[in-house]
Amino acid sequence: EPEVTQTPSHQVTQMGQEVILRCVPISNHLYFYWYRQILGQKVEFLVSFYNNEISEKSEIFDDQFSVERPDGSNFTLKIRSTKLEDSAMYFCASRTDNYEQYFGPGTRLTVT
Amino acid sequence: AQRVTQPEKLLSVFKGAPVELKCNYSYSGSPELFWYVQYSRQRLQLLLRHISRESIKGFTADLNKGETSFHLKKPFAQEEDSAMYYCALKGAETSGSRLTFGEGTQLTVNP
């Protein structure tokens, strides 16, 4: 069964550095999402992406964040200048026209 | 604004006992409600949604609009049900179909 994949599984970066988290959604999916989960807290929506543009974003998704679908397969989340509070598990998800969002295994981002 | 509340962070039952994981929501429109499960070291996966009204792995959940609840139930818990369970809401009016999650309930089924 096809799955959403994410790389790397764990990323350690220094405060102020740029980081790019990568996702490969399921191939025939049209809608893409990023969520994050700070340790001990709930999963929070960051952004949704459809037809090569952002369709919705949360208040968390400020100017430090950007998303891109640079080719037909990858979907990336970039954080321009990481802060300590960006440390979290970041989940990518994708779906077709139906309701179910399929989640990737997550990337653990640690900002030191 | 949409909000999902799962009042129990931890729930522990014995094998064969009934289990109910509580979920309450706040949303002014017509929501879609979901239960996601995360087994140890695995990804989040959809367990069930209220519209389909189906039973998955013996679990059922009924949307109660009067009480704004979507509790997950299983009459006889099994050890393999031990996992983290998240209730999630999708508002009908949100263009991007964002999911709003509850805090999650860690279910442990003891032998």
Side-chain angles (χ1 to χ4, degrees), chain A residues 4 33 56 95 99 101, chain B residues 43 49 86 96-99:
Chain A
V4 176
Y33 304 83
E56 191 180 3
R95 70 174 178 94
Y99 59 89
Q101 292 185 25
Chain B
R43 63 190 68 204
R49 67 187 286 235
Y86 294 96
S97 301
R98 69 192 288 179
L99 290 174

Side-chain angles (χ1 to χ4, degrees), chain A residues 11-73:
Chain A
Q11 173 88 48
V12 181
T13 190
Q14 287 191 322
M15 197 167 53
Q17 295 296 304
E18 176 184 284
V19 67
I20 297 176
L21 308 183
R22 301 180 194 281
C23 168
V24 179
I26 295 173
S27 63
N28 63 335
H29 286 193
L30 305 173
Y31 301 81
F32 313 110
Y33 304 83
W34 283 101
Y35 294 83
R36 78 170 187 192
Q37 185 175 32
I38 294 171
L39 188 64
Q41 297 186 25
K42 60 174 70 179
V43 176
E44 301 173 289
F45 167 79
L46 291 177
V47 65
S48 59
F49 192 86
Y50 170 71
N51 201 25
N52 280 319
E53 61 183 25
I54 290 173
S55 47
E56 191 180 3
K57 60 183 180 180
S58 72
E59 57 280 0
I60 301 168
F61 195 88
D62 61 22
D63 292 344
Q64 291 300 309
F65 290 88
S66 62
V67 288
E68 197 176 35
R69 189 156 159 80
D71 52 41
S73 59

Side-chain angles (χ1 to χ4, degrees), chain A residues 63-99:
Chain A
D63 292 344
Q64 291 300 309
F65 290 88
S66 62
V67 288
E68 197 176 35
R69 189 156 159 80
D71 52 41
S73 59
N74 289 285
F75 178 52
T76 62
L77 174 70
K78 183 194 287 187
I79 309 175
R80 276 184 248 290
S81 178
T82 50
K83 304 190 271 283
L84 293 176
E85 53 265 38
D86 292 327
S87 294
M89 195 76 162
Y90 287 81
F91 295 104
C92 173
S94 69
R95 70 174 178 94
T96 60
D97 282 337
N98 74 8
Y99 59 89

Side-chain angles (χ1 to χ4, degrees), chain B residues 47-68:
Chain B
L47 181 61
L48 51 78
R49 67 187 286 235
H50 87 270
I51 288 180
S52 59
R53 302 185 67 83
E54 56 192 347
S55 172
I56 303 291
K57 299 185 180 182
F59 285 97
T60 59
D62 291 315
L63 180 61
N64 185 323
K65 291 186 178 181
E67 295 182 359
T68 59

Side-chain angles (χ1 to χ4, degrees), chain B residues 92-106:
Chain B
E93 290 76 28
T94 55
S95 59
S97 301
R98 69 192 288 179
L99 290 174
T100 297
F101 285 86
E103 300 90 341
T105 298
Q106 178 67 50

